[in-house]
Amino acid sequence: MPSLPFTPVVTAVRTRYRAAIAGLCALLCATTFTACQQLPAPGPRTQSTTLTSAQASATPLGQAIDTARAAHPDLSGIDPLTQPLQAFASRVDLVRTAQRTLDVQYYIWRDDLTGTLLLEELREAADRGVRVRLLLDDNGIPSSLDNTLAALDAHPNIEVRLFNPFVTRNPKFIGFLTDFSRLNRRMHNKSLTADGVATILGGRNIGDEYFGATDGVVFADLDVLAIGPAASDVAHDFDRYWSSASSWPVKDILPAAPANQLDALDRAARAVRDNPAARAYIDSLEAKTDVRRLLDGTLDFEWAPTRLVSDDPAKALGKAPQASLILSQLKDILGEPQRELDLISPYFVPAEDGTRYFAELAQRGVTVRVLTNSLEATDVVPVHGGYARRRKALLESGVELWELRRAAGVNPAKEQAPGMFGSSGSSLHAKTFAVDAQRVFVGSLNFDPRSANLNTELGLVIESPKLASQIESAFSTRIPQLAYEVKLAPNGSLYWIRRNGDSTIRYDAEPNSRWSTRLAVWFFSILPIEWLL
């Protein structure tokens, strides 16, 4: 298996691709910056690690998990979190349940309703004696959070570190113009682990669009709540990132916060809770979550062997051995698909090597099916351009391509019908794939060159025919009703089929798109920027 880069003018550039877009601008910019700001000399860092198994078992959460695992001692308990509200409420309850430690690692953390509420929950956990370690990629946080993060770091039970930080805080993009090779590499991992024994990981960042708390774009996404060996593996992997050379104590990067900054966080959280527009969403958090079901012994886990796959954090410095990268690990764990590969990725840019690999699978008789965003649903037009240039070759080889439609009238306050890849949101963000209806991957990995070569990623391979079959079934049932099928006409042109019950509609151009957006897709598809996407 080769090293795969599995991997709209821009209407809403995702934070994930800010580095790529800023880098492209830097390459084209005629302005010369003569004074490049440098990171300060590394100072002393406190040493800390996850709890031992004995320490973890002494907590109420550890005791509940030990009881749940009694009949499955060598397996991980997996609970898919497909619904956005459920996924946020479970995070809140996991933070509230922790008694000893919270290890929190994210790429994006918004300064919005859900971001404010979860930061306040972390502070309240620290107030009751929980040790909180918060590791955030510096590209994914707004400068408006700098004072809050500095104030949290001053709390005796909280330490905040920034991964691959920017020296210039506002505007950050200047850093790309002066230090592009370093800042183009980001930490895309996402996990929240309580007391070293229960973790939530997957595709969701922290922001309203990931949890259905917005009237704008709502992402269809997927996380899992995991206990057992999977949670222990994530906890130890967090230690590895926490102590890596790219993780900088926030006090080395940010100035000290104003003395009353934590009071400002309290006021912001109260304002969110008192906002009538947010009242229904916040009230819904009081519903019984899967974390509470775990504590009272009523949560029905899928018990399965798991393997954690995670990039060496040295990848962020361009120094990780090839064997330590996530795609090499997936190759060793998954092997070659024999019957079927079902892949769901919001940003699918297979590039030349990936296109060849998928084509060879299809030509060997393996069913290869891909679900990604349609042009109307994508939030990054340049990425769609990288995908579009490979569509014809993929279809010619027998690969099935499905493109999620943008859902109209999605009500973020209402849960959608569950599915393995998440709710029927207006844009796909889940990252998962299944091999031979036996094994399934859930994590942060997109099938694009950025995930393969530049960003660090994290995920679980789960040996579960039950979960893998749900993805297989989705391609036969739900996906044809939610997505356009891309087809190849006899003359070599592409067309799109939309199904509505038993009826179909044919589109001979990208559905529900303007000619100017299609022109932008074409323009980006011919630029030599695939490696950035």
Side-chain angles (χ1 to χ4, degrees):
M1 180 176 177
S3 175
L4 294 182
F6 285 125
T7 25
V9 164
V10 181
T11 56
V13 176
R14 294 273 297 116
T15 305
R16 169 177 163 78
Y17 289 96
R18 190 179 296 153
I21 303 306
L24 179 60
C25 292
L27 294 175
L28 301 176
C29 185
T31 303
T32 301
F33 287 82
T34 57
C36 297
Q37 290 187 292
Q38 301 295 323
L39 287 169
R45 303 186 183 191
T46 58
Q47 301 298 311
S48 59
T49 59
T50 189
L51 299 180
T52 65
S53 57
Q55 291 172 323
S57 294
T59 67
L61 184 58
Q63 292 167 4
I65 288 170
D66 286 346
T67 300
R69 292 185 59 208
H72 315 277
D74 300 321
L75 303 178
S76 295
I78 303 297
D79 174 45
L81 300 174
T82 61
Q83 304 307 315
L85 182 58
Q86 171 199 44
F88 183 70
S90 292
R91 283 168 170 82
V92 170
D93 271 350
L94 198 56
V95 171
R96 291 175 177 175
T97 301
Q99 287 204 346
R100 295 288 301 274
T101 64
L102 283 164
D103 294 334
V104 184
Q105 180 181 22
Y106 280 97
Y107 173 61
I108 291 174
W109 196 296
R110 303 281 193 217
D111 188 11
D112 57 12
L113 184 155
T114 54
T116 299
L117 289 178
L118 201 52
L119 284 180
E120 178 72 351
E121 293 289 344
L122 293 178
R123 186 197 63 78
E124 291 177 357
D127 285 348
R128 64 176 187 267
V130 178
R131 185 197 71 189
V132 177
R133 296 188 294 177
L134 178 59
L135 177 59
L136 300 176
D137 185 274
D138 200 22
N139 188 53
I141 56 174
S143 299
S144 58
L145 277 179
D146 281 2
N147 281 342
T148 299
L149 295 177
L152 288 170
D153 186 68
H155 192 291
N157 290 326
I158 301 176
E159 186 175 358
V160 182
R161 294 186 180 180
L162 299 178
F163 194 90
N164 210 1
F166 293 76
V167 178
T168 302
R169 304 307 300 171
N170 193 14
K172 284 185 179 180
F173 77 83
I174 290 176
F176 289 118
L177 304 179
T178 62
D179 197 6
F180 177 71
S181 61
R182 176 178 70 86
L183 294 173
N184 189 40
R185 295 176 177 272
R186 309 312 317 175
M187 181 191 75
H188 199 232
N189 310 36
K190 306 161 179 65
S191 67
L192 190 159
T193 306
D195 291 339
V197 292
T199 191
I200 294 174
L201 76 157
R204 289 184 176 93
N205 294 291
I206 305 302
D208 290 355
E209 65 267 40
Y210 301 97
F211 300 114
T214 175
D215 291 328
V217 172
V218 178
F219 286 122
D221 218 324
L222 175 64
D223 300 313
V224 295
L225 168 64
I227 63 174
S232 178
D233 288 345
V234 172
H236 286 97
D237 193 67
F238 180 91
D239 283 350
R240 186 169 67 143
Y241 274 81
W242 184 253
S243 62
S244 72
S246 295
S247 297
W248 286 73
V250 77
K251 63 180 180 291
D252 292 347
I253 303 298
L254 302 181
N260 63 346
Q261 188 63 38
L262 283 184
D263 293 337
L265 177 60
D266 291 340
R267 290 192 299 271
R270 284 197 301 271
V272 166
R273 293 188 178 104
D274 293 340
N275 183 349
R279 188 73 259 165
Y281 183 86
I282 294 169
D283 287 346
S284 66
L285 295 179
E286 300 307 315
K288 191 173 185 178
T289 69
D290 287 9
V291 173
R292 290 184 228 172
R293 293 186 182 94
L294 163 61
L295 291 169
D296 65 22
T298 61
L299 182 59
D300 186 17
F301 282 105
E302 170 70 4
W303 296 96
T306 58
R307 290 277 299 275
L308 183 74
V309 288
S310 173
D311 279 310
D312 184 333
K315 183 181 182 183
L317 299 173
K319 297 179 179 180
Q322 187 66 34
S324 73
L325 301 184
I326 193 168
L327 289 183
S328 296
Q329 297 171 53
L330 285 171
K331 172 188 174 182
D332 293 340
I333 294 170
L334 295 173
E336 287 287 340
Q338 299 301 309
R339 181 174 67 85
E340 189 173 76
L341 174 62
D342 293 323
L343 189 154
I344 296 171
S345 179
Y347 311 118
F348 179 64
V349 186
E352 185 175 354
D353 286 347
T355 300
R356 183 185 307 112
Y357 170 72
F358 291 124
E360 289 173 353
L361 284 181
Q363 290 163 2
R364 288 207 323 258
V366 176
T367 298
V368 181
R369 299 183 288 193
V370 177
L371 174 68
T372 191
N373 276 311
S374 64
L375 179 55
E376 70 179 23
T378 191
D379 55 341
V380 193
V381 164
V383 173
H384 195 81
Y387 154 66
R389 69 183 296 183
R390 304 294 177 182
R391 274 188 301 211
K392 185 175 180 180
L394 290 166
L395 291 169
E396 286 176 338
S397 68
V399 174
E400 294 183 26
L401 296 180
W402 299 83
E403 298 178 1
L404 189 71
R405 307 198 308 264
R406 185 180 182 91
V410 174
N411 186 342
K414 295 182 179 179
E415 297 292 350
Q416 312 297 313
M420 185 59 192
F421 63 92
S423 303
S424 303
S426 56
S427 186
L428 180 69
H429 197 257
K431 307 117 176 23
T432 185
F433 61 87
V435 177
D436 294 337
Q438 296 294 313
R439 302 176 296 282
V440 60
F441 169 88
V442 178
S444 67
L445 176 73
N446 286 297
F447 286 77
D448 59 19
R450 176 159 290 277
S451 285
N453 305 315
L454 297 172
N455 292 352
T456 68
E457 306 288 354
L458 171 75
L460 276 180
V461 174
I462 307 165
E463 296 281 343
S464 170
K466 176 183 176 181
L467 297 181
S469 294
Q470 289 181 22
I471 295 179
E472 179 186 48
S473 175
F475 274 96
S476 301
T477 55
R478 298 187 72 227
I479 289 175
Q481 296 300 317
L482 298 173
Y484 304 107
E485 184 178 10
V486 190
K487 307 286 283 185
L488 194 62
N491 65 359
S493 63
L494 302 184
Y495 65 97
W496 288 255
I497 295 296
R498 174 179 177 174
R499 293 171 176 80
N500 185 9
D502 295 330
S503 64
T504 62
I505 301 173
R506 172 172 169 155
Y507 300 85
D508 290 316
E510 304 251 16
N512 298 321
S513 64
R514 298 178 179 179
W515 70 267
S516 55
T517 309
R518 296 194 296 272
L519 179 62
V521 168
W522 170 82
F523 175 71
F524 285 115
S525 74
I526 64 173
L527 290 179
I529 59 170
E530 242 179 356
W531 65 280
L532 283 169
L533 301 177

